[in-house]
Every structure is written in structure tokens, then in C-alpha cells.
Amino acid sequence: MPRQLFKTALALSGGGSRALAHLGALDEIVKHRVQLDLITGTSMGAIIGGLYAYYQDLPTVTDKLRNFLESELFIKTLALATENEAEDTSENLVSRFLGLFRKGIYYTHSMVRSTLVSEELYLEVMSRLIPDDPIEGLPIPFAAVALDIVNGEEIVLRRGSLRRAVSASVAIPGILPGVRYDGRCLVDGGWIDNLPATPAIAMGAHFVIGIDASSQVGQLGPLPNSALDTLHRCNDITRMHLSQERGACADALLVPHLGHLYWADFSRVESCIEAGHEVVRKNIGRIRRKRKLRRMMTLNGSVYPGRAPGWRRPLIFY
């Protein structure tokens, strides 16, 4: 059988509960028989992408996630991560921290512990959810993106333990403990590359479908009415524009309509999944046309990467 030259990648963003839209998007992509040759993911996108690369079966992945989200272990961990601040509906985690500072809760806890969720509990959570098999043995090539919190480098994990790689990509700074990896301390990749299209290209993809489930600037709400709110609004905007810049490298960028869904609201699984279904259904024609054009431009994958050099930026691969 001839070797497949032209490669299509799926890049999945973070976004907490919003990223459950990836389940619906993946389902539609599979139904429309768009072959996926590799997957990259950040944060929640790394969880869903890693599980699909492992099982290659959406119903299995979806059932596993549903059961996990309903478990006492997850509910306990989420309560610690959010400090039960349900009345604060900010979607950005930095906003959550600033809200906690206002009430004095986070300041008090940060004086006695380095993260809101202990390393032991985090290990138990990830052991329940993610298999501990080597990434290089997965049926679909996969990579998870993390941030080296010491030197600010973007780390792309495509070898070694799947569980460890996903744990690093999900480790929200200050909430979940960082993961030690080859002398580095790795945390949530959403702080450096929330939609990892560039790592997918660097791994050999000629065509990248990006699913961005993170919040958009237009969803930030009314004008801030305090100095502190203005400060973290500007931080929100900076991160959102960084996410847009990273996602611009995707050949087909899809943004599910999720409204103002709060990142930790896992009660709306069905609506998130349906949003993923809907965005792919509406764009499948565009995906096919762009994919066909990219196949022609790359001479069916003989020319790599078949792009202007501007997409490149420093990445550290493991």
C-alpha cells in the first residue's frame, strides 16, 4: 500500500467546559470521512485529542468523559479549583484569581500552599482519566502543548507517557501543580499556544483544521467599572488576541457558538457537543474545498510544508 503523503491535522484548543464542543466537531469530521493523520491539543483539547488518538472511537471517548464529569472525584477537584465562587461568572482564569484576591480567599490560601489542588489529588484525577501508554505508540500521531513556566518556551510533547503529557498541558498555573519534565516545570499550554496549529504543521501536516472553543473578545461583557476590572479586562484581551494569532496558522479555523458559557460550567455538555456538530456541518464544504486546494498546492503532499515561511516560530519538541 503506498505511503500517505498528504497529511491532515486537527488542532484542538483549550477552553475548559467550552472545549467539550470538540466532541461534536470530531464526530462530524469522522462522519464526513475527513481523514485525520495527526492531532494536536492544548489543555482540554489535549484531553479530548489524546483520548481520541488512543481509542479512535468517539462513543468510547464521550462515555468516558461523561462518566468522569459526573464522578465525585471530578466534582471535588472542580470545587477546589474554583473555590466554590459560582457567583463569579468570569470565563478567564486570571479574572477568577483577581476576583479571589478581592475577597481575600486566594491570598490566604496562596500563603500556605502552592496550588489550590494538591499534587496527589491531581495525579489521582489524571490516572482515572488518561491512559499511561507511550504517545509514540498511539494509532493516530498526537502531541500536547505546554508552557515551560521557567523560561517561557513552548513545549510540544509527542513522545513518552500520554498521561504525563496531557497532565502538563492541563496544569492551570496556581490551580493545578506543574509537571516536572526533563528538568522543566510545565503548565497549561493555553498561556502560550491555545490553538496549536503551528506544532501540527511542524510535525508534517499540510492541512490543519483548527477548532477554537475559547472565549472571544466580544463575549467579555460590559465596560469595567473599577481599576482592577479594567486591568484584568486588558489581560483578557491580550490573551484572546494571542489565541487568534496562533489560530491564524490553521487552514480552516472553526469557532463553535458557545455564547458566554463559563469555563467551569460542566452542566451543559449536550449544548457544547451540539455547538461542535453545528460548526462543522456549516463549514464542511469550505473544509473540503480548502483541503483540495492545499492538496494541489503541495503536489499531494510532495512539497512540505507548502507554505510561506512566516508560520514558523520557536518550538521545543520532545
Side-chain angles (χ1 to χ4, degrees):
M1 184 176 179
R3 183 171 65 91
Q4 172 74 21
L5 292 178
F6 186 82
K7 291 183 172 62
T8 299
L10 181 65
L12 301 176
S13 78
S17 61
R18 301 171 63 90
L20 292 172
H22 296 328
L23 294 171
L26 255 170
D27 192 30
E28 287 293 328
I29 288 170
V30 171
K31 284 179 180 177
H32 286 91
R33 299 185 180 182
V34 177
Q35 179 176 323
L36 296 177
D37 301 294
L38 64 97
I39 299 173
T40 57
T42 296
S43 198
M44 191 66 173
I47 290 178
I48 293 174
L51 288 175
Y52 183 73
Y54 181 87
Y55 291 107
Q56 283 191 295
D57 183 72
L58 242 307
T60 299
V61 174
T62 302
D63 288 345
K64 188 174 182 66
L65 278 169
R66 286 182 192 278
N67 292 334
F68 176 73
L69 295 176
E70 294 170 359
S71 69
E72 291 185 9
L73 177 62
F74 174 76
I75 294 170
K76 172 185 176 183
T77 306
L78 185 65
L80 288 171
T82 60
E83 288 290 355
N84 292 313
E85 293 285 307
E87 70 273 18
D88 183 353
T89 57
S90 304
E91 292 174 352
N92 184 276
L93 294 176
V94 175
S95 301
R96 299 277 299 155
F97 277 133
L98 291 170
L100 291 172
F101 268 118
R102 282 197 296 268
K103 299 186 180 206
I105 297 173
Y106 179 72
Y107 176 79
T108 302
H109 286 179
S110 67
M111 295 298 289
V112 296
R113 61 193 192 207
S114 58
T115 57
L116 297 181
V117 176
S118 70
E119 187 172 357
E120 293 76 16
L121 181 57
Y122 188 42
L123 178 61
E124 184 181 357
V125 167
M126 299 310 289
S127 298
R128 181 82 62 89
L129 185 60
I130 306 296
D132 197 23
D133 288 36
I135 295 175
E136 53 268 39
L138 298 180
I140 302 176
F142 170 75
V145 171
L147 166 66
D148 184 331
I149 200 171
V150 175
N151 58 29
E153 292 176 322
E154 181 175 346
I155 309 299
V156 183
L157 302 167
R158 56 179 179 172
R159 297 187 179 88
S161 165
L162 175 63
R163 181 183 299 161
R164 195 176 182 194
V166 173
S167 297
S169 186
V170 175
I172 305 167
I175 294 180
L176 301 172
V179 174
R180 297 290 175 178
Y181 199 104
D182 192 32
R184 300 176 181 270
C185 182
L186 304 184
V187 298
D188 192 330
W191 262 254
I192 186 73
D193 192 353
N194 197 46
L195 205 162
T198 294
I201 299 169
M203 289 171 63
H206 300 88
F207 183 77
V208 181
I209 303 169
I211 313 292
D212 185 3
S214 60
S215 300
Q216 306 300 307
V217 174
Q219 298 168 345
L220 287 174
L223 189 69
N225 55 16
S226 72
L228 193 57
D229 287 340
T230 299
L231 175 64
H232 67 71
R233 165 67 63 88
C234 292
N235 177 77
D236 289 345
I237 292 172
T238 298
R239 289 196 60 207
M240 290 174 185
H241 279 292
L242 174 62
S243 181
Q244 291 173 5
E245 185 271 332
R246 297 295 196 238
C249 294
D251 298 288
L253 178 60
L254 309 184
V255 181
H257 180 67
L258 296 162
H260 294 269
L261 180 66
Y262 169 46
W263 73 272
D265 181 3
F266 287 89
S267 66
R268 295 172 56 187
V269 176
E270 297 303 330
S271 61
C272 289
I273 293 176
E274 179 53 33
H277 278 288
E278 182 180 7
V279 75
V280 175
R281 283 196 298 262
K282 286 184 175 179
N283 290 278
I284 190 62
R286 182 167 66 94
I287 291 171
R288 285 175 170 157
R289 289 191 298 272
K290 287 195 168 190
R291 189 166 176 256
K292 182 178 181 180
L293 178 61
R294 178 65 68 182
R295 188 186 289 273
M296 293 170 57
M297 291 174 62
T298 62
L299 303 179
N300 198 31
S302 299
V303 178
Y304 171 75
R307 300 170 180 269
W311 66 270
R312 295 182 182 276
R313 69 173 192 276
L315 302 169
I316 308 297
F317 284 90
Y318 278 95

